[in-house]
């Protein structure tokens, strides 16, 4: 199986390649190789390579900056996805698009594959429009708060955007106090589970929506407390705050982002508490 992959050096892409390279031949399309926001580049590059599936992870992922750089976020997340999809369709190949729980509004959780998206921030809007570009002709895989734990204790440098667990543990190690929200929920997802779930979906392609998300949702306050315990930092560095207070000056985010899957019967997704061996 030959899988062309955009965003191969990002947080998720780098780990997916590392874990699945024994079974899948990846053709990495890094930002240096290809700017997905340029139609001609996309057409030329995809015409030059042979692949069975395009796994599309590249995105404008900065949620707050997306409000300020709307044109850029749209060019990458919507137009870029369209150019890739058109080129893939032209070649008669398949496409998997990685999307996000930020397509939901966080109002009536939980959100499963049949829930109706209603994004409230610009990043979520562009990711949802990216989904809509594909219609029913590609696979959409939504993930939520991807994290890994291997860099925390080893001190190794992670690739791509820093994940929530790495980011919080670095700040806690510096002795910083962290205001963490009590009246909200997030669904952290171990990236290794995303990779294994994708391994199944790549080999069992259907042009449908799937959620690959952790099996439990937590308040950010609980996540912070668990991570502090995990790395041996004082838990009183985690200070309770409200969603309203935390949200001031930031992009709108879904408040209760409990995301679940009704369709994943192929890979058991772990809860953050299981991964870091701390049960809330
Ligand atoms: N991280 C999260 O919290 C999260 C949550 C839910 C869903 N997702 C989705 O998961 C996917 C992967 O995200 P990630 O966390 O791995 O993000 P990431 O670490 O920010 O990686 C995104 C990659 O996209 C590349 N890229 C950006 N603009 C590009 C362009 N114009 N042309 C080609 N490549 C471009 C970036 O390359 P450069 O760095 O060189 O620009 C980067 O390597 C994204 O689709 C994202 O929407 C992420």
């Amino acid at each position: 199986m030959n899988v062309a992959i955009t965003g191969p050096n990002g947080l998720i892409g780098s780990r997916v390649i590392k874990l699945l390279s024994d079974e899948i031949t990846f053709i990495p399309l890094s930002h240096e190789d290809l700017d997905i926001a340029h139609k001609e580049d996309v057409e030329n590059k995809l015409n030059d390579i042979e692949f069975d599936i395009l796994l599309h992870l590249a995105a404008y992922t900065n949620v707050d900056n997306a409000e300020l750089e709307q044109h850029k976020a749209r060019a990458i997340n919507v137009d870029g996805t369209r150019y890739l999809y058109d080129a893939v369709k032209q070649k008669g190949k398949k496409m998997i698009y990685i999307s996000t729980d930020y397509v939901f509004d966080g109002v009536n959780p939980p959100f499963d594959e049949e829930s109706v998206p209603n994004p409230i921030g610009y990043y979520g809007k562009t990711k949802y429009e990216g989904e809509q570009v594909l219609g029913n002709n590609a696979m959409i895989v939504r993930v939520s708060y991807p994290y890994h734990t291997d860099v925390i204790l080893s001190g190794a440098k992670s690739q791509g955007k820093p994940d929530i667990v790495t980011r919080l543990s670095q700040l806690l190690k510096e002795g910083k106090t962290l205001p963490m929200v009590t009246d909200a929920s997030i669904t952290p997802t171990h990236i290794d589970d995303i990779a294994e779930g994708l391994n199944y979906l790549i080999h069992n392609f259907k042009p449908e929506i799937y959620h690959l998300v952790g099996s439990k949702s937590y308040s950010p306050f609980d996540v912070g407390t668990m991570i502090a315990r995990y790395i041996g930092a004082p838990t009183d560095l985690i200070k309770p705050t409200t969603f309203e207070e935390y949200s001031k000056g930031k992009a709108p985010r879904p408040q209760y982002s409990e995301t679940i899957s009704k369709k994943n019967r192929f890979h058991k997704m772990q809860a953050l508490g299981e991964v870091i061996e701390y049960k809330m």
Side-chain angles (χ1 to χ4, degrees), residues 7-13 29-31 34-37 56-61 76 98-101 123 127 143-146 159-161:
N9 301 322
L11 172 66
I12 301 176
L29 300 172
S30 73
H31 199 166
L34 169 68
D35 181 347
I36 63 165
H56 175 32
L57 289 134
Y60 183 105
T61 55
I76 297 170
I98 303 300
S99 192
T100 169
D101 59 322
Y123 164 73
K127 290 298 292 183
V143 303
S144 151
Y145 284 84
Q159 276 188 286
K161 182 181 166 173

Side-chain angles (χ1 to χ4, degrees), residues 4 26 79 92 110 139 179 186 218 226 229 245:
F26 286 103
D79 299 337
M139 181 185 281
I186 58 173
Y218 305 87
M226 289 160 77
R229 290 207 169 111
E245 191 58 35

Side-chain angles (χ1 to χ4, degrees), residues 124-145:
K125 283 191 175 109
T126 60
K127 290 298 292 183
Y128 182 44
E129 283 185 46
E131 292 187 6
Q132 290 172 310
V133 161
L134 310 168
N136 297 322
N137 302 310
M139 181 185 281
I140 293 167
V141 179
R142 297 194 189 116
V143 303
S144 151
Y145 284 84

